[in-house]
């Protein structure tokens, strides 16, 4: 898939070495098509890592994407340089009058805080409300999924006895829905979180369809509004070494952390982690783009009948 990004985005050079087709603004203007406008509200502290992971995940269909990275203005990142954010990101205030075919709301390391304690929560509420009139389909990831379930349906999150950390088996619950088309009956996906939204609470929401769940990790994938809102509780976009980096970081800080489940061969941290979720992660993002963004979005950006 050709993905339109700024020519000097640091992730671009890495993706090009992986033969992922990227184009800059000049080449994109010579394409006689309208690319899909995809916003990425990146709430993760290491924004460049998340940029790379998500652009990889979005690169597996022939659709052309025009990517806009978005940040909140009511919080200043401490782990990504201000120059990077100023150069490659726009604030919600700057994009709120635009229409997007798709929007991704990432996770954030805030799950142990109450939503109302998060400094940018009022801005998040504005963004959730804005998506109802300005975005064809919104994909909520991890904390973004928990926050969306709380905002739209009032579903509370609950602390887990210990961090849910590793790669877990999941089961497809409704394979007639296009979002899981091409999935096997059972598949693996990473989780890294301290809280959960209980599966029973989610299943009680009228009009909500649970598409995948895990005996160990609980809710993984579901949607409402015929795909206008999609919720993913794990991290199908993670790279092979993401959990490895998290584990070694927490160990170095002296934080209570167990080995990630089903990750290192023979639970040996010196061995290369097993990559067991990439194919289903790619299918998930491709299905979202194809069935809930591309096929449902009008050609024009404005005057949409949501």
């Amino acid at each position: 898939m050709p993905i339109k990004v700024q020519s000097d985005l640091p992730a671009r050079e890495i993706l090009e070495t992986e033969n992922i087709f990227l184009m800059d603004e000049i080449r994109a203007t010579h394409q006689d098509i309208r690319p899909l406008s995809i916003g990425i509200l990146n709430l993760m502290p290491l924004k460049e890592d998340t940029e790379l992971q998500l652009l990889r995940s979005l690169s597996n269909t022939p659709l052309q994407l025009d990517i806009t990275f978005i940040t909140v203005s009511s919080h200043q990142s401490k782990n990504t340089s201000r120059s990077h954010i100023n150069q490659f990101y726009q604030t919600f205030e700057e994009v709120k009058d635009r229409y997007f075919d798709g929007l991704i709301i990432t996770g954030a390391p805030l799950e142990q805080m109450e939503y109302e304690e998060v400094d940018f929560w009022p801005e998040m509420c504005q963004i959730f409300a804005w998506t109802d009139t300005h975005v064809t389909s919104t994909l909520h990831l991890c904390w973004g999924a928990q926050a969306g379930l709380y905002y739209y349906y009032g579903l509370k999150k609950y602390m887990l006895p210990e961090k849910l950390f590793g790669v877990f088996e999941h089961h497809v619950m409704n394979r007639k829905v296009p979002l899981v088309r091409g999935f096997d009956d059972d598949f693996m996906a990473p989780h890294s979180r301290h809280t959960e939204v209980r599966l029973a609470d989610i299943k009680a929401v009228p009009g909500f369809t649970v598409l995948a769940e895990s005996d160990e990790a609980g809710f993984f994938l579901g949607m409402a509004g015929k795909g206008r809102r999609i919720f993913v509780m794990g991290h199908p976009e993670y790279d092979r070494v993401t959990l490895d980096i998290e584990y070694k970081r927490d160990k170095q800080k002296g934080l209570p952390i167990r080995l990630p489940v089903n990750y290192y061969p023979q639970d040996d941290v010196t061995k290369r982690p097993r990559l067991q979720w990439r194919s289903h992660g790619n299918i998930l993002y491709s299905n979202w783009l194809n069935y809930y963004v591309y096929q449902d979005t009008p050609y024009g950006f404005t005057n949409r009948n949501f």
Side-chain angles (χ1 to χ4, degrees):
M1 169 197 312
I3 298 178
K4 177 187 169 187
V5 295
Q6 289 180 240
S7 57
D8 49 353
L9 182 73
R12 180 188 178 97
E13 183 176 352
I14 298 173
L15 293 170
E16 286 181 332
T17 65
E18 298 174 8
N19 292 319
I20 292 175
F21 182 18
L22 303 171
M23 64 173 64
D24 58 23
E25 297 91 336
I26 297 175
R27 182 169 183 181
T29 58
H30 292 83
Q31 301 286 316
D32 190 23
I33 59 175
R34 179 177 82 73
L36 295 175
S37 179
I38 304 296
I40 298 178
L41 177 62
N42 190 353
L43 304 173
M44 293 294 282
L46 300 176
K47 298 193 185 304
E48 293 184 56
D49 291 349
T50 304
E51 294 161 14
L52 185 59
Q53 292 167 8
L54 287 174
L55 290 176
R56 274 198 192 106
S57 298
L58 295 170
S59 67
N60 293 286
T61 80
L63 302 170
Q64 181 178 317
L65 306 184
D66 184 355
I67 302 295
T68 299
F69 291 108
I70 304 169
T71 185
V72 291
S73 57
S74 44
H75 177 82
Q76 185 167 333
S77 176
K78 299 177 181 178
N79 297 281
T80 300
S81 71
R82 176 52 50 182
S83 61
H84 182 87
I85 292 173
N86 289 341
Q87 185 171 359
F88 300 111
Y89 281 74
Q90 297 182 54
T91 65
F92 171 62
E93 185 68 24
E94 292 172 323
V95 303
K96 68 179 184 180
D97 293 328
R98 290 175 54 186
Y99 292 84
F100 287 84
D101 302 303
L103 177 73
I104 297 173
I105 300 177
T106 74
L110 303 168
E111 54 188 313
Q112 297 184 74
M113 299 174 62
E114 296 297 328
Y115 298 111
E116 289 80 6
E117 295 175 353
V118 176
D119 57 3
F120 57 87
W121 181 248
E123 189 172 1
M124 282 300 302
C125 293
Q126 292 180 333
I127 292 170
F128 286 134
W130 168 82
T131 63
D132 287 339
T133 55
H134 287 72
V135 180
T136 301
S137 178
T138 302
L139 185 66
H140 308 72
L141 302 177
C142 203
W143 183 85
Q146 293 187 354
L149 291 169
Y150 178 71
Y151 174 83
Y152 287 112
Y153 312 112
L155 300 187
K156 296 180 180 180
K157 62 182 176 182
Y158 296 89
M159 286 296 300
L160 295 167
E162 61 182 7
K163 185 177 183 180
L164 184 73
F165 189 49
V167 184
F168 298 88
E169 184 179 55
H170 301 76
H171 318 295
V172 173
M173 306 308 294
N174 190 338
R175 54 175 52 262
K176 291 184 178 181
V177 176
L179 189 61
V180 292
R181 187 166 292 168
F183 274 54
D184 295 324
D185 290 341
D186 304 302
F187 65 95
M188 307 297 284
H191 289 260
S192 177
R193 51 186 168 87
H194 294 273
T195 59
E196 68 171 348
V197 180
R198 291 175 178 167
L199 184 58
D201 294 344
I202 296 173
K203 288 183 175 180
V205 173
F208 195 102
T209 303
V210 173
L211 297 173
E213 61 186 62
S214 168
D215 297 337
E216 298 172 280
F219 172 74
F220 176 73
L221 176 65
M223 70 181 197
K226 298 181 179 179
R228 290 290 314 284
R229 302 171 190 156
I230 294 172
F231 302 88
V232 183
M233 199 60 76
H235 286 285
E237 78 284 354
Y238 268 7
D239 293 335
R240 180 192 300 273
V241 298
T242 306
L243 294 178
D244 176 66
I245 292 170
E246 289 185 19
Y247 173 71
K248 292 175 180 175
R249 176 200 65 198
D250 288 358
K251 286 286 286 185
Q252 187 174 23
K253 291 181 178 179
L255 298 174
I257 184 69
R258 292 193 178 187
L259 279 172
V261 176
N262 299 323
Y263 185 57
Y264 298 111
Q266 293 83 49
D267 286 338
D268 184 345
V269 298
T270 67
K271 293 185 176 180
R272 190 185 194 207
R274 290 187 295 259
L275 182 59
Q276 309 171 74
W277 60 91
R278 177 62 56 79
S279 60
H280 282 87
N282 287 343
I283 291 171
L284 174 61
Y285 283 97
S286 295
N287 285 349
W288 173 62
L289 287 171
N290 184 33
Y291 297 114
Y292 300 94
V293 179
Y294 173 66
Q295 294 194 25
D296 281 347
T297 194
Y299 185 85
F301 278 100
T302 59
N303 298 321
R304 298 191 177 186
N305 183 20
F306 281 101

